[in-house]
């Protein structure tokens, strides 16, 4: 009985044939030569020299050959892969030189040109918000009224039904200007602008009065001795609380989005009767799930300011006949609105003058 035929190879592996290996090598070298930039060369490297390339897959088939055939196949595939890697290295060197030359041309900087290294400025957010609020009133047909910040005591208090014994007139709430008998104060609200308007104009009157006001508050996260208010005044025939409610609903919706409404809670102010505290529905939870809302803290409403029907005594003091005309007035803090709209937690950030704070708001016009 004869022994086994060791020269006979029962395994035929097509990718390891000499013509197949040469074809894969030539295809890879041709693809490398056609690469026009480093990105395309990277893609070609993965296709023809990566782990899933034809030559790499052919190299894995060597193990299927009998021992006496592996050496020749290994040399054949190894030489082909070496030729491809050499072609890749040569092409990469050429493309890198071309890339650097192109960068020098495309990204050239003329260092002789004049430069402006000063940073771009930005408007203060209180200013832009005040102008936005003023635009809302103007769009309703109202006028914007202004007045001095150093105001007469009579206009700041007496004309508004704040009598001589009212607590707001003391040094604890009011900045009085020297000399002490001059009767001048830094206005504690923008209501004196309303009094000035009623004294100098005939009704009907539809005005908004934004501006800076002063009170002797301690500086903390929610209080400042200098802050900003906007107040509205309407004097006309047949004005009621219904007109006030509609105006405030429109104003809050314009500032915080559609669907925001207001409610009134009975209160007291010397210059209005009846008077109310004005709340708006929470602009975060919209009153739907107040228990989980950190903004309104479970209330579903956020206090915004005070309002009411103008007290007849104020009308008389300012020369307006209360038997013919009625009106309403309201006021709220612009800084408070700013903190709500932009999630500002500390009022001191608004007034400390750090440009890093104001730059975030840009140059809104």
């Amino acid at each position: 009985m004869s022994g086994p035929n060791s020269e006979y190879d029962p395994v035929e592996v097509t990718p390891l044939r000499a013509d197949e290996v040469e074809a894969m090598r030539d295809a890879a070298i041709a693809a490398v030569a056609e690469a026009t930039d480093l990105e395309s060369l990277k893609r070609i490297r993965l296709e023809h020299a990566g782990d899933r390339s034809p030559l790499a897959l052919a190299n894995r088939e060597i193990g299927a050959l009998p021992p006496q055939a592996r050496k020749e196949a290994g040399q054949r595939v190894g030489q082909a892969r070496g030729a491809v890697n050499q072609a890749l290295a040569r092409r990469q060197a050429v493309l890198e030189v071309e890339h650097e030359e192109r960068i020098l041309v495309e990204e050239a900087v003329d260092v002789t040109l004049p430069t402006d290294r000063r940073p771009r400025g930005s408007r203060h957010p209180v200013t832009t918000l005040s102008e936005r609020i003023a635009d809302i009133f103007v769009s309703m047909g109202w006028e914007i009224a202004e007045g001095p910040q150093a105001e007469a005591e009579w206009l700041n208090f007496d004309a508004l039904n704040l009598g001589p014994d009212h607590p707001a007139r003391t040094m604890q709430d009011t900045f009085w200007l020297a000399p002490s008998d001059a009767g001048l104060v830094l206005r504690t609200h923008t209501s004196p602008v309303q009094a000035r308007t009623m004294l100098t104009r005939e009704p009907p009157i539809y005005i908004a009065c934004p501006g800076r006001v002063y009170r002797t508050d301690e500086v903390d996260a929610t209080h400042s001795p200098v802050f900003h208010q906007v107040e509205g005044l309407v004097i006309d025939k047949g004005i009621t609380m219904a007109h006030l409610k509609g105006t405030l609903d429109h104003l809050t919706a314009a500032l915080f989005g559609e669907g925001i409404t207001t409610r009134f809670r009975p209160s007291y102010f010397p210059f209005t009767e009846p008077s109310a505290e004005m709340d708006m529905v929470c602009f975060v939870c919209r009153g739907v799930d107040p228990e989980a809302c950190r903004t309104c803290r479970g209330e579903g409403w956020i206090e915004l300011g005070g309002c009411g029907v103008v007290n007849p005594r104020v009308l008389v003091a300012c020369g307006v006949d209360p038997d013919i005309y009625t009106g309403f007035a309201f006021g709220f803090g612009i800084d408070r609105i700013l903190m709500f709209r932009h999630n500002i937690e500390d009022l001191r950030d608004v007034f400390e003058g750090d440009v890093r704070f104001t730059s975030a708001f840009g140059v809104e016009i």
Side-chain angles (χ1 to χ4, degrees), residues 64 79 100 102 104 115 162 184 206 225 248 281 297 308 315:
Q79 291 173 357
E100 293 176 358
R102 184 168 61 253
L104 289 174
T115 61
L162 292 164
L184 292 176
Y206 292 80
L248 295 177
V281 69
R297 298 179 180 179
L315 295 178

Side-chain angles (χ1 to χ4, degrees), residues 144-212:
I144 305 301
E146 298 179 342
Q149 297 178 35
E151 189 57 272
E153 177 187 3
W154 187 86
L155 288 168
N156 196 79
F157 296 119
D158 298 271
L160 303 174
N161 199 34
L162 292 164
D165 297 327
H166 196 280
R169 300 176 75 132
T170 66
M171 294 294 291
Q172 296 177 352
D173 293 299
T174 306
F175 288 105
W176 293 81
L177 300 181
S180 58
D181 59 350
L184 292 176
V185 300
L186 292 178
R187 64 183 183 187
T188 58
H189 43 196
T190 55
S191 300
V193 181
Q194 302 178 14
R196 286 175 174 272
T197 303
M198 288 187 285
L199 286 167
T200 57
R201 293 178 50 180
E202 292 291 330
I205 297 172
Y206 292 80
I207 60 167
C209 317
R212 185 180 293 117

Side-chain angles (χ1 to χ4, degrees), residues 128-302:
T128 56
L129 180 58
S130 298
E131 293 178 356
R132 175 172 294 189
I133 293 172
D135 289 342
I136 295 173
F137 284 111
V138 171
S139 69
M140 295 191 297
W142 293 33
E143 297 179 53
I144 305 301
E146 298 179 342
Q149 297 178 35
E151 189 57 272
E153 177 187 3
W154 187 86
L155 288 168
N156 196 79
F157 296 119
D158 298 271
L160 303 174
N161 199 34
L162 292 164
D165 297 327
H166 196 280
R169 300 176 75 132
T170 66
M171 294 294 291
Q172 296 177 352
D173 293 299
T174 306
F175 288 105
W176 293 81
L177 300 181
S180 58
D181 59 350
L184 292 176
V185 300
L186 292 178
R187 64 183 183 187
T188 58
H189 43 196
T190 55
S191 300
V193 181
Q194 302 178 14
R196 286 175 174 272
T197 303
M198 288 187 285
L199 286 167
T200 57
R201 293 178 50 180
E202 292 291 330
I205 297 172
Y206 292 80
I207 60 167
C209 317
R212 185 180 293 117
V213 297
Y214 307 84
R215 294 180 190 175
T216 55
D217 291 333
E218 295 292 334
V219 177
D220 58 30
T222 57
H223 296 85
S224 172
V226 183
F227 55 102
H228 300 81
Q229 278 188 340
V230 60
E231 298 188 24
L233 172 69
V234 169
I235 303 294
D236 207 343
K237 296 178 181 179
I239 297 297
T240 67
M241 288 282 282
H243 298 101
L244 171 61
K245 181 68 164 59
T247 300
L248 295 177
D249 283 347
H250 173 77
L251 180 61
T252 52
L255 287 172
F256 293 96
E258 293 297 327
I260 299 297
T261 58
T262 61
R263 73 175 183 183
F264 293 156
R265 290 181 289 111
S267 186
Y268 168 76
F269 300 107
F271 32 84
T272 54
E273 181 60 38
S275 302
E277 291 285 353
M278 169 183 56
D279 301 333
M280 68 175 181
V281 69
C282 178
F283 56 90
V284 176
C285 69
R286 302 294 177 118
V288 176
D289 186 17
E291 296 299 329
C293 182
R294 297 177 59 185
T295 301
C296 65
R297 298 179 180 179
E299 295 292 331
W301 298 86
I302 298 176

Side-chain angles (χ1 to χ4, degrees), residues 74-90:
Q75 290 177 346
R76 186 185 309 127
V77 174
Q79 291 173 357
R81 297 182 75 180
V84 173
N85 288 331
Q86 291 175 5
L88 284 167
R90 291 192 297 269

